[in-house]
Amino acid sequence: MDLPRVGLDLTEKLRVPEAVDAIVRAEARGVPMVWSTIRRGAPDAMTFFAAGAVRTSRIGLGTAVVPTYPRHPAALASQALAVEQLAPGRFRLGIGPSHRPVIENSLGIPMDRPLAHLREYLIVLRALLWEGAVDFEGRYFSVHLETGQTAQVPIYISALRANAYRLAGELADGAISWMCPADYLRETAAPAMAEAAQAAGRATPRLVAHVPVAMTSDRAQMLEVARPRVGGYARLPFYAAMFADAGFPVEGGVVSDDLLDHLVVWGDEGRVQERLAGLLGDGIDELLVMAIPVSDLAQEEERLSRVLVALAN
């Protein structure tokens, strides 16, 4: 399929029937793409994407992202084959290491050198999906397997800091940012990815920018609803380091109004559409738009969907 410029995040849909209904509803409204993360303790997005695939025919489906440590690449490849066969050409697979509070503290899995782990995971996963076989010996994985089935599913990786964007440039089909200010993506992320791609002799992969949106024209209300959401990420070391790199240091998860102004798109439909349109280009190829609930999420999602449809056409 032609890759869209915009897509809607379904992270707030924590129950499977609601998530599947949201996929069907988004396609009916003309939204070209939906994304979902796989969160600790939440229903598995790969599973409800399979259910959504059989009830739709056009909309793109993407994970943003599947945590790598709890799921062997062979198991994920098997799941990706199933989704791709149900939704041919519509599925993009985003993967990432997640964070130490989740992987080590909650799951008890050692998290050593996450980018090195992600590199090996990506190599194994790519071979299994694209070639139907892998013969790999590394520090983290030893996989010798032939499946006999292939699916050229685009594989994206999560990225926050420059080295992750370099890895995407070298090996992945794209990078998915999360809570990264747009100037940081243009000035740090996109150049790092382009330079690594050039060194590897390949085209620069796609950069998908995650954009939080609050459908309100009241800045004070935007700050009120966005601060706890962004602050939750800012308390994680990987995000805190990225915010510091971007020029917005955080202390104890307390985020400044300045950071929220640079990170969150807000306003009425017209202003939101204008601001989202302005983010595209200069290295940013696609927007992954996440609604931050203000008062009525269902109504806000409908309004935001209209904006995305207008941007997609």
Side-chain angles (χ1 to χ4, degrees):
M1 68 175 183
D2 293 332
L3 294 177
R5 300 199 307 161
V6 292
L8 179 66
D9 175 54
L10 299 180
T11 299
E12 295 295 331
K13 310 297 186 210
L14 298 183
R15 289 182 51 79
V16 170
E18 296 169 359
V20 174
D21 287 346
I23 294 170
V24 174
R25 186 168 60 246
E27 179 173 89
R29 290 171 174 168
V31 176
M33 182 82 197
V34 290
W35 298 86
S36 184
T37 189
I38 293 182
R39 299 171 63 182
R40 173 177 46 182
D44 179 57
M46 296 288 288
T47 303
F48 68 69
F49 273 174
V54 299
R55 290 184 55 191
T56 57
S57 60
R58 300 180 309 278
I59 195 166
L61 308 168
T63 57
V65 296
V66 180
T68 53
Y69 281 90
R71 202 174 310 212
H72 193 279
L76 183 57
S78 179
Q79 290 180 300
L81 280 170
V83 177
E84 169 62 21
Q85 289 175 14
L86 291 169
R90 293 195 281 144
F91 179 54
R92 284 186 279 171
L93 179 58
I95 62 172
S98 188
H99 302 276
R100 284 196 170 87
V102 175
I103 301 303
E104 291 192 338
N105 298 352
S106 295
L107 302 180
I109 301 172
M111 191 177 187
D112 173 47
R113 299 181 64 204
L115 274 184
H117 181 275
L118 181 59
R119 171 183 289 274
E120 291 192 9
Y121 195 106
L122 178 57
I123 291 170
V124 172
L125 182 63
R126 167 84 72 190
L128 285 169
L129 283 174
W130 286 54
E131 300 169 22
V134 65
D135 188 15
F136 180 83
E137 286 283 344
R139 175 174 178 175
Y140 301 99
F141 293 99
S142 174
V143 188
H144 309 276
L145 180 64
E146 185 171 340
T147 66
Q149 295 194 59
T150 62
Q152 294 191 353
V153 174
I155 304 173
Y156 290 44
I157 65 168
S158 62
L160 289 178
R161 304 184 75 188
N163 282 341
Y165 289 101
R166 292 188 185 101
L167 176 59
E170 180 185 352
L171 293 176
D173 296 301
I176 303 172
S177 76
W178 203 262
M179 292 287 177
C180 294
D183 287 346
Y184 171 79
L185 292 177
R186 294 190 181 99
E187 297 167 8
T188 299
M193 190 159 61
E195 289 165 8
Q198 183 177 18
R202 60 197 301 259
T204 301
R206 197 167 179 85
L207 176 54
V208 180
H210 166 252
V211 184
V213 172
M215 297 297 292
T216 175
S217 297
D218 185 335
R219 179 175 179 268
Q221 190 175 43
M222 178 278 289
L223 295 173
E224 179 183 359
V225 298
R227 194 179 309 279
R229 177 65 64 93
V230 178
Y233 289 98
R235 286 188 287 273
L236 296 169
F238 292 165
Y239 283 95
M242 179 271 293
F243 287 140
D245 289 349
F248 302 98
V250 295
E251 297 291 339
V254 178
V255 298
S256 66
D257 291 358
D258 193 26
L259 171 57
L260 295 176
D261 281 331
H262 280 80
L263 195 60
V264 181
V265 169
W266 58 280
D268 60 18
E269 287 185 38
R271 185 180 181 196
V272 167
Q273 181 175 332
E274 181 181 359
R275 291 193 62 192
L276 290 176
L279 292 175
L280 289 162
D282 295 330
I284 297 176
D285 301 293
E286 185 175 345
L287 306 180
L288 191 174
V289 179
M290 178 188 77
I292 297 179
V294 178
S295 57
D296 183 339
L297 180 59
Q299 182 186 76
E300 292 153 19
E301 182 186 275
E302 182 178 3
R303 293 163 58 203
L304 182 56
S305 294
R306 287 198 293 265
V307 169
L308 298 184
V309 171
L311 288 171
N313 294 325

